[in-house]
Amino acid sequence: MEKNTGNSISRARFMAGAAAVGVVAAAAGALPAPVAAAATGARRGLTHRGVVYTVGAGETPGTAWSERRMREDIRVIGSELHADTVEVTGDGVERLNATASEVAERGLHVWLQPTLGDVPEKEILEHLAESGRHGERLRKQGARVTLAVGCEFWLFVPGIVPGDTVLDRIQNLLDGNVDWVQMQRRLARFTAKAAAVGRSVFGGELSYAAAQDDDVDWNLFDIVGIDYYSYFPRRADYVRELKKFLRWGKPLAITEFGTCTFVGAPEEGGMGWNVVDYSKEPAEIKGDLVRSERVQAAYLTDLLDVFESMNLHAAMAFEFVTADAPHRPDNPRYDLDMASYAIVKPLKDRPDDPDSDWHWEPKQAFHALARHYGRARC
């Protein structure tokens, strides 16, 4: 049964609260096996190279989820982007299952990550169980499937951080209106519940998408999953930071990485989306940003080189398309794609009509990823 998604908002508008409120942990001292292999010259690179594909109900008829559009997108991801993995995330069991099935039918690795938020815990766990059962059916039919039990639970699950909605919770974190000890206790409790539900319905590898500074008991999971939005001038600094996530002796998957499409976006990390004034109608870009697809593409490929050098398990670029952030080449003030992490840009047939049909065109980031993934496939 399709679940009620409540007042959902675009993932790109709140995707990285952790980047604004987290505390950087100390880097691990010892070199885990994957890093040691890279240091001694043994090179195999990433095991899985992919992209995040978000499903959701859509905020207007013009951005609503479409099975027809999804099928074509998945075809492009496999045949033109040359990705071998699709992280299927978002809410709505029917949408998640249809998308996961399409990914499997294309022969790609399904990284299934149901993400329902702002509803009671029971509904979130039921949503996970329903999606996980479908993932298990696909796995038993021979598909390659990994189940991630969720994403940054402190952000999505009510009751861990004060606030009725995701945006309320981010604001309370920014304002320090949080009992950190109690928050961690609640987060650990719910994470253990979600892991138990995942194990009960799914027989394959289990993971979770944590914020960089989350304190997670990774003994519950087979694969460490991190949403990664750091920026450093030197690649060696990325390696130093990422090493701490290998101390568990388990494969490390970068479940999200990316940046927005303007000069200076990488330095903004996970808060790049915050350059849009949504209080105005229509929403508009703040200040005088300079659009740059080149900056976005360079950041993605730089990080991929780091991940490859460390022989990480997987890396999923965030994200394929953000339907509610259309590109306006005619009017930069309303070019919401500048605040988008997507690797393709939506263009509306009628730019000023929210219900207008639209199509997407590839950005430089798409072509850069396609070259990288294509070389790896060969």
Side-chain angles (χ1 to χ4, degrees):
M1 178 182 296
E2 194 74 6
K3 296 295 183 182
N4 178 12
T5 61
N7 295 321
S8 61
I9 62 173
S10 169
R11 166 74 168 148
R13 289 175 57 188
F14 56 75
M15 54 177 293
V21 302
V23 179
V24 177
L31 274 174
V35 178
T40 58
R43 177 69 185 273
R44 59 178 176 80
L46 285 159
T47 303
H48 298 293
R49 301 167 182 87
V51 66
V52 177
Y53 192 86
T54 305
V55 305
E59 297 179 2
T60 72
T63 61
W65 185 82
S66 158
E67 185 165 358
R68 175 193 58 78
R69 190 186 297 275
M70 175 274 290
R71 289 182 183 277
E72 175 60 13
D73 289 348
I74 300 304
R75 183 197 68 77
V76 168
I77 288 170
S79 64
E80 298 179 27
L81 187 63
H82 307 302
D84 60 39
T85 299
V86 182
E87 182 180 311
V88 180
T89 190
D91 57 35
V93 171
E94 292 179 6
R95 294 186 295 273
L96 286 165
N97 290 356
T99 307
S101 293
E102 184 66 20
V103 173
E105 288 174 13
R106 292 280 176 184
L108 304 175
H109 175 208
V110 182
W111 194 282
L112 181 57
Q113 182 182 287
T115 308
L116 178 65
D118 291 349
V119 298
E121 283 189 7
K122 182 180 178 182
E123 291 186 34
I124 293 173
L125 294 173
E126 288 175 350
H127 182 267
L128 166 62
E130 289 188 53
S131 300
R133 289 188 191 99
H134 184 72
E136 178 65 3
R137 286 192 291 272
L138 293 176
R139 193 183 71 86
K140 286 185 173 179
Q141 292 167 7
R144 296 171 294 158
V145 185
T146 300
L147 177 65
V149 300
C151 171
E152 302 177 24
F153 285 142
W154 56 268
L155 190 64
F156 286 92
V157 181
I160 297 176
V161 172
D164 294 332
T165 69
V166 167
L167 293 179
D168 291 340
R169 291 189 281 278
I170 286 182
Q171 194 58 54
N172 280 323
L173 285 163
L174 292 171
D175 294 342
N177 298 327
V178 179
D179 182 328
W180 297 100
V181 174
Q182 188 178 60
M183 169 191 163
Q184 183 56 47
R185 188 180 302 119
R186 291 171 174 170
L187 177 60
R189 177 189 58 80
F190 186 83
T191 303
K193 280 186 178 181
V197 169
R199 293 286 184 201
S200 73
V201 298
F202 186 74
E205 290 184 316
L206 203 69
S207 189
Y208 166 66
Q212 288 172 230
D213 300 306
D214 284 356
D215 184 7
V216 178
D217 180 4
W218 290 109
N219 292 311
L220 298 169
F221 302 100
D222 304 302
I223 300 169
V224 176
I226 300 296
D227 293 345
Y228 190 70
Y229 289 97
S230 287
Y231 170 76
F232 295 107
R234 299 187 311 126
R235 293 185 184 184
D237 294 325
Y238 293 112
V239 174
R240 186 179 63 252
E241 183 176 60
L242 287 164
K243 279 169 28 179
K244 67 184 179 184
F245 301 115
L246 295 168
R247 69 183 184 271
W248 295 87
K250 296 190 175 188
L252 171 60
I254 305 301
T255 40
E256 292 180 13
F257 73 101
T259 192
C260 295
T261 317
F262 59 89
V263 174
E267 291 87 336
E268 297 299 318
M271 296 299 290
W273 56 268
N274 199 31
V275 296
V276 179
D277 186 347
Y278 288 101
S279 69
K280 295 186 176 179
E281 184 58 44
E284 65 178 48
I285 297 292
K286 304 174 190 174
D288 297 310
L289 296 187
V290 176
R291 180 182 179 86
S292 178
E293 294 187 14
R294 183 191 61 78
V295 164
Q296 183 192 33
Y299 178 80
L300 286 168
T301 52
D302 283 350
L303 277 183
L304 275 173
D305 287 344
V306 171
F307 304 152
E308 298 276 9
S309 74
M310 296 180 70
N311 300 327
L312 300 190
H313 180 68
M316 274 75 79
F318 185 81
E319 65 177 333
F320 184 74
V321 62
T322 304
D324 60 355
H327 175 43
R328 287 290 298 265
D330 62 315
N331 195 335
R333 178 62 56 193
Y334 300 106
D335 184 11
L336 300 190
D337 179 67
M338 281 200 284
S340 166
Y341 292 72
I343 62 171
V344 302
K345 50 196 173 192
L347 291 105
K348 290 184 177 182
D349 298 340
R350 300 180 303 279
D352 296 315
D353 179 1
D355 295 340
S356 170
D357 199 5
W358 57 278
H359 67 282
W360 59 255
E361 294 179 0
K363 296 186 194 177
Q364 290 184 31
F366 179 100
H367 296 302
L369 285 180
R371 288 191 295 271
H372 187 108
Y373 290 172
R375 286 195 300 268
R377 270 194 175 184
C378 293

